[in-house]
Amino acid sequence: MDATTEQLRTLAAVIEHGTFDRAAEALHVTSSAVSQRIKALEQQTGRVLLLRTKPARPTKSGSVVVRLARQVALLESEAMDELGLEGAGARPRIPLVINADSLATWVLPALAGIDRTSFEVTIDDQDHSIDRLREGTAMAAITSNPNPVQGCIARPLGIMRYRAVASRAFAEQWLPDGFTDQALSAAPVVVFDRKDALQDRYLERRLGPGAARPPRHYVPASADFLRAIELGFGWGMLPDLQASDAIAAGALVVLDDERHMDVPLYWQQWSVESATLTRIAASLQKAAAARLR
């Protein structure tokens, strides 16, 4: 494949902006020029690289080339900065995928110490975040999967411990005899979103496979998830990092002193010699060592 930097940059722009027209605007060229570059790149690779949907999506082969395009852009930016060439000093944009609980508790302070870098953070469940690494739309991710995606390296960060908690008023109303198996089958539960399986895994551990699915509220924001539990919408699994202050203040009570759910977290990033990614990984690993189990 003899792809030019211009072609690779165009492919990445189409994926980033979703359409040929928007990519053309971002690159300050015509839509026809974008189309020609993509066509030429597909002819060189002998593969269809884009699904012409709205928004445009990479094919499996396209994901490989998108990842290459973004690696080239990152390394080009770092090289220009190191050489002091025209355009040096531009902040590289690093797309990351972070699970909501990590973002709400320990990740942002770690990222705040990284200068000369712009972050594009996408929130996704730790069990699904590697999908974006495979697509080439993220350079790094916090994930529960220890197996590195092809072209990536993986390092352990630590464990987030979750406990079943609820407001005191909720516990008194729905769990007068304690957090019994019978109460679990009926008491409403708060779930982050439809990817969030933590509450169901806890229910299966307590009640066995095929456990009853109690009424549930979906609240897809970490701070609001905590607030919903405090307001008595239902019980839910909260990480110790997020729930400890509310428990100490009496706003929440731990429902099960004997069981908890441990979620191991891993840092996966592209396997490239990038000073920017190295700084990010080091900062996050330092923060994880201080905050995670």
Side-chain angles (χ1 to χ4, degrees):
M1 182 177 69
D2 190 21
T4 66
T5 302
E6 185 179 71
Q7 291 169 341
L8 294 173
R9 187 180 295 119
T10 301
L11 177 64
V14 172
I15 295 301
E16 178 180 351
H17 297 285
T19 68
F20 283 34
D21 290 340
R22 290 179 181 175
E25 292 176 5
L27 296 172
H28 305 292
V29 297
T30 65
S31 296
S32 177
V34 169
S35 180
Q36 290 172 6
R37 292 174 186 176
I38 298 299
K39 183 178 180 180
L41 191 54
E42 289 182 325
Q43 288 175 340
Q44 289 181 38
T45 59
R47 310 283 178 86
V48 175
L49 302 178
L50 285 176
L51 299 175
R52 270 66 168 179
T53 54
K54 287 189 177 181
R57 301 286 296 174
T59 62
K60 184 176 181 179
S61 296
S63 295
V64 175
V65 183
V66 169
R67 185 167 63 245
L68 171 63
R70 291 187 165 166
Q71 289 174 351
V72 168
L74 174 61
L75 296 179
E76 181 181 43
S77 173
E78 292 180 348
M80 291 176 64
D81 191 51
E82 190 173 345
L83 293 171
L85 299 177
E86 182 179 354
R91 299 163 68 96
R93 183 177 60 84
I94 307 297
L96 304 175
V97 185
I98 311 292
N99 62 305
D101 292 337
S102 291
L103 190 66
T105 53
W106 65 275
V107 165
L108 283 179
L111 294 181
I114 307 296
D115 59 357
R116 303 189 310 278
T117 305
S118 295
F119 296 104
E120 181 181 349
V121 178
T122 299
I123 295 176
D124 206 345
D125 184 86
Q126 62 271 1
D127 293 337
H128 299 268
S129 54
I130 60 172
D131 293 341
R132 298 179 185 271
L133 284 175
R134 290 194 182 100
E135 292 175 355
T137 55
M139 294 183 184
I142 291 179
T143 173
S144 60
N145 192 330
N147 301 313
V149 173
Q150 185 175 4
C152 294
I153 56 176
R155 299 188 180 98
L157 290 171
I159 291 171
M160 290 194 80
R161 175 160 291 178
Y162 289 75
R163 302 179 196 274
V165 300
S167 70
R168 190 172 301 278
F170 178 89
E172 291 173 352
Q173 177 184 354
W174 288 93
L175 312 166
D177 299 320
F179 206 39
T180 63
D181 291 354
Q182 183 177 0
L184 270 174
S185 299
V189 60
V190 182
V191 180
F192 188 84
D193 60 19
R194 296 184 186 278
K195 292 181 178 179
D196 178 14
L198 198 60
Q199 283 71 211
D200 286 327
R201 289 208 297 267
Y202 175 84
L203 287 171
E204 287 189 2
R205 177 179 292 185
R206 281 287 301 267
L207 305 177
R213 289 174 59 86
R216 55 195 57 209
H217 304 280
Y218 293 97
V219 184
S222 190
D224 296 328
F225 184 93
L226 168 62
R227 185 62 176 149
I229 294 175
E230 289 178 333
L231 290 171
F233 279 75
W235 67 272
M237 304 298 295
L238 280 176
D240 288 349
L241 286 177
Q242 190 178 27
S244 57
D245 289 345
I247 293 171
L252 295 176
V253 294
V254 177
L255 301 175
D256 188 344
D257 292 323
E258 298 180 359
R259 299 174 184 84
H260 54 260
M261 300 288 287
D262 283 347
V263 177
L265 297 178
Y266 300 85
W267 172 252
Q268 291 208 30
Q269 70 174 56
W270 289 350
S271 182
V272 294
E273 293 294 330
S274 163
T276 303
L277 288 178
T278 297
R279 288 199 306 272
I280 295 170
S283 183
L284 287 174
Q285 287 185 293
K286 181 179 178 180
R291 301 298 304 279
L292 301 182
R293 290 180 177 269

